[in-house]
């Protein structure tokens, strides 16, 4: 299968704190991959390197064969851990903003999904609940026809019904030739939608396997294996 | 969201069982056209690749068939689909008997219990 993401020897420290240590991996097209690890293990550091917000101290990243830069950013759709829309913007303005900014944005798709949420497009971001704010942001990110979707904690702090909406939105909208990376610690909620999982432990790659392999070899869910690998 | 799954069996096998059940109960009729892989994946709450794998396996077993451009269909009724119902019934009964056995009851005890329960039901109905 065609390789979409390649990382070689990625390392990064924050002062004395380890971010990533010699991390190498290759992710093919057409997969939904979970990046799993406890808080502070390096998940967000990895995602930020893939989308160019952080520069590794050593190693390199290739997205669709190209180093991280303008070309790679055009094919990467990134959902940050925290919402970044201005509170003062209206939903309709955020949609305009995305359309102007991204050539691969599908406006009709975004509007259709926002309608199913029953949200008034004139509403300001500041008037939305936390759950709705996350949903709006995910809808916009998934409405791009990207090759790589990087979703950093897409379900952090929302209720189970909102989680269902978010998973459904991801499944319905990702492009079949694209890859989706989901970083999360809510493993039991996402494991059924994942092809493969990557465990990151203290900045290092601890495991990279398919969910089926884990179930067959260990007779365990990913959630149960995670608790075992990262037991305190 | 989705179908119920247990932890220790690969998902595609559980999906296959779920679909077999639909075919065996007639919920999916012989010759019926299936929804798209993506639609089924969303309904089940699983990855489209996993759903694809389950459908491909069921095709290999002859329970589904694909027409090149028209999509996937449930097989017309034949020995395979007929046998399916019997196979499922037997697996349910076996599970029941295994549970009884682990509680220390023999097949005979289980049969007696079933008879007693069925008599009670009949009396209720009167």
């Amino acid at each position: 299968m065609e390789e979409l993401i390649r990382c070689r020897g990625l390392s990064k420290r924050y002062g004395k704190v380890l971010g990533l240590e010699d991390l190498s991996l290759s992710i093919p097209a057409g997969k939904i991959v979970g990046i799993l690890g406890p808080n502070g293990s390096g998940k967000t550091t990895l995602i930020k390197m893939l989308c160019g917000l952080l520069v590794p101290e050593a190693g390199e990243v290739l997205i669709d064969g190209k180093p991280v830069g303008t070309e790679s950013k055009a094919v990467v759709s990134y959902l940050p851990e925290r919402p970044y829309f201005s509170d003062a913007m209206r939903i309709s303005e955020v949609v305009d903003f995305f359309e102007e900014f991204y050539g691969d944005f599908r406006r009709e798709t975004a509007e259709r999904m926002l309608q199913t949420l029953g949200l008034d497009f004139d509403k300001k971001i500041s008037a939305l609940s936390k759950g709705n704010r996350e949903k709006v942001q995910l809808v916009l990110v998934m409405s791009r026809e990207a090759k790589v979707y990087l979703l950093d904690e897409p379900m952090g702090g929302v209720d189970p019904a909102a989680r269902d909406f978010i998973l459904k939105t991801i499944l319905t909208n990702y492009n079949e030739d694209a890859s989706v990376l989901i970083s999360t610690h809510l493993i039991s909620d996402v494991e059924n939608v994942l092809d493969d999982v990557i465990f990151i432990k203290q900045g290092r790659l601890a495991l990279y396997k398919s969910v089926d392999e884990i179930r067959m070899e260990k007779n365990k869910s990913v959630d149960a294996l995670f608790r075992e690998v990262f037991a305190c | 969201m989705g179908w119920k799954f247990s932890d220790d069996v690969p998902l595609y096998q559980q999906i296959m069982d779920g679909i077999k059940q639909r075919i065996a109960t007639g919920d999916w009729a012989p010759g019926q056209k299936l929804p798209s892989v993506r639609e089924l994946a969303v309904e089940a709450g699983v990855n489209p690749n996993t759903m694809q794998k389950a459908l491909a396996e069921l095709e290999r077993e002859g329970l589904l068939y694909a027409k090149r451009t028209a999509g996937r269909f449930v097989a017309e009724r034949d020995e395979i689909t007929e046998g399916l119902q019997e196979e499922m019934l037997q697996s349910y009964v076996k599970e029941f008997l295994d549970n009884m056995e682990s509680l220390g009851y023999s097949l005979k005890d289980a049969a007696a219990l079933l008879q007693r329960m069925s008599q009670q039901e009949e009396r209720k109905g009167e």
Side-chain angles (χ1 to χ4, degrees):
Chain A
M1 213 179 294
E2 193 196 339
E3 178 184 76
L4 257 192
I5 298 173
R6 159 160 302 271
C7 302
R8 249 192 303 256
L10 290 183
S11 297
K12 166 100 188 156
R13 284 175 174 277
Y14 302 96
K16 284 188 177 161
V17 181
L18 188 69
L20 287 179
E21 174 88 357
D22 194 22
L23 187 129
S24 300
L25 50 83
S26 158
I27 297 174
K31 298 269 184 186
I32 304 182
V33 181
I35 301 182
L36 314 178
N39 297 323
S41 56
K43 305 189 294 282
T44 297
T45 301
L46 174 62
I47 287 196
K48 285 189 172 169
M49 280 182 189
L50 296 178
C51 64
L53 287 176
L54 277 178
V55 180
E57 282 156 12
E60 65 164 350
V61 177
L62 297 176
I63 307 273
D64 203 17
K66 298 179 192 85
V68 173
T70 318
E71 273 180 272
S72 84
K73 286 178 190 177
V75 299
V76 170
S77 192
Y78 168 54
L79 178 82
E81 210 174 345
R82 291 188 194 84
Y84 56 90
F85 297 144
S86 158
D87 273 356
M89 281 174 111
R90 295 177 196 283
I91 293 179
S92 58
E93 289 170 336
V94 181
V95 175
D96 291 343
F97 180 76
F98 256 70
E99 187 171 39
E100 200 174 321
F101 217 81
Y102 297 111
D104 58 0
F105 184 67
R106 297 167 293 181
R107 189 184 183 100
E108 307 73 51
T109 309
E111 286 180 344
R112 189 165 20 84
M113 283 193 277
L114 290 170
Q115 267 156 11
T116 63
L117 282 172
L119 292 175
D120 178 359
F121 287 17
D122 283 334
K123 250 194 177 170
K124 287 200 169 151
I125 297 295
S126 58
L128 298 176
S129 67
K130 185 177 160 77
N132 276 338
R133 221 178 277 203
E134 299 217 0
K135 286 185 213 164
V136 168
Q137 186 156 314
L138 181 85
V139 161
L140 292 166
V141 166
M142 293 310 298
S143 295
R144 287 186 54 198
E145 207 156 335
K147 286 192 175 164
V148 175
Y149 298 89
L150 301 173
L151 312 177
D152 198 356
E153 294 285 356
M155 303 181 298
V158 301
D159 63 72
R163 284 178 208 168
D164 281 357
F165 173 86
I166 287 170
L167 285 178
K168 209 171 144 183
T169 304
I170 296 171
L171 282 178
T172 316
N173 292 289
Y174 86 98
N175 181 339
E176 269 176 45
D177 309 317
S179 274
V180 185
L181 268 63
I182 306 176
S183 109
T184 186
H185 54 262
L186 298 167
I187 299 170
S188 58
D189 284 321
V190 298
E191 72 168 281
N192 287 352
V193 310
L194 301 177
D195 287 295
D196 301 329
V197 290
I198 291 170
F199 280 12
I200 297 186
K201 194 175 186 177
Q202 292 164 345
R204 291 171 176 276
L205 184 71
L207 176 135
Y208 185 0
K209 265 191 180 351
S210 81
V211 174
D212 278 349
E213 274 177 310
I214 291 176
R215 281 172 188 259
M216 263 190 298
E217 287 169 15
K218 323 229 178 218
N219 284 322
K220 268 186 198 128
S221 67
V222 176
D223 190 59
L225 180 67
F226 183 89
R227 284 163 203 265
E228 204 178 276
V229 172
F230 294 102
C232 299
Chain B
M1 179 171 82
W3 303 356
K4 290 263 170 282
F5 297 108
S6 71
D7 282 350
D8 46 356
V9 181
L11 280 183
Y12 77 93
Q13 288 173 7
Q14 298 187 54
I15 294 170
M16 287 175 67
D17 289 344
I19 292 176
K20 281 181 183 175
Q21 190 167 357
R22 290 178 175 204
I23 296 175
T25 56
D27 193 16
W28 284 7
Q32 183 181 322
K33 185 176 190 303
L34 264 57
S36 73
V37 172
R38 183 78 67 121
E39 282 166 340
L40 281 171
V42 171
E43 187 201 312
V46 302
N47 183 301
N49 293 326
T50 309
M51 182 55 72
Q52 173 65 36
K53 188 170 173 185
L55 296 179
E57 278 296 307
L58 289 167
E59 236 174 72
R60 226 172 38 85
E61 290 185 8
L63 290 165
L64 303 175
Y65 68 95
K67 276 193 215 158
R68 216 171 338 144
T69 51
R72 248 194 207 91
F73 298 82
V74 179
E76 300 299 338
R77 193 172 288 286
D78 59 16
E79 306 87 59
I80 303 176
T81 47
E82 304 258 300
L84 202 55
Q85 193 153 11
E86 180 67 25
E87 189 188 309
M88 294 199 60
L89 286 174
Q90 283 188 5
S91 96
Y92 284 143
V93 172
K94 187 172 179 314
E95 193 186 329
F96 164 70
L97 290 175
D98 287 346
N99 284 334
M100 291 297 282
E101 201 186 333
S102 70
L103 292 170
Y105 287 81
S106 68
L107 173 61
K108 229 174 180 179
D109 297 330
L113 175 70
L114 284 177
Q115 187 146 32
R116 229 168 33 242
M117 285 176 75
S118 112
Q119 281 164 358
Q120 275 169 9
E121 282 299 311
E122 268 171 35
R123 244 173 276 142
K124 253 190 252 166
E126 275 165 14

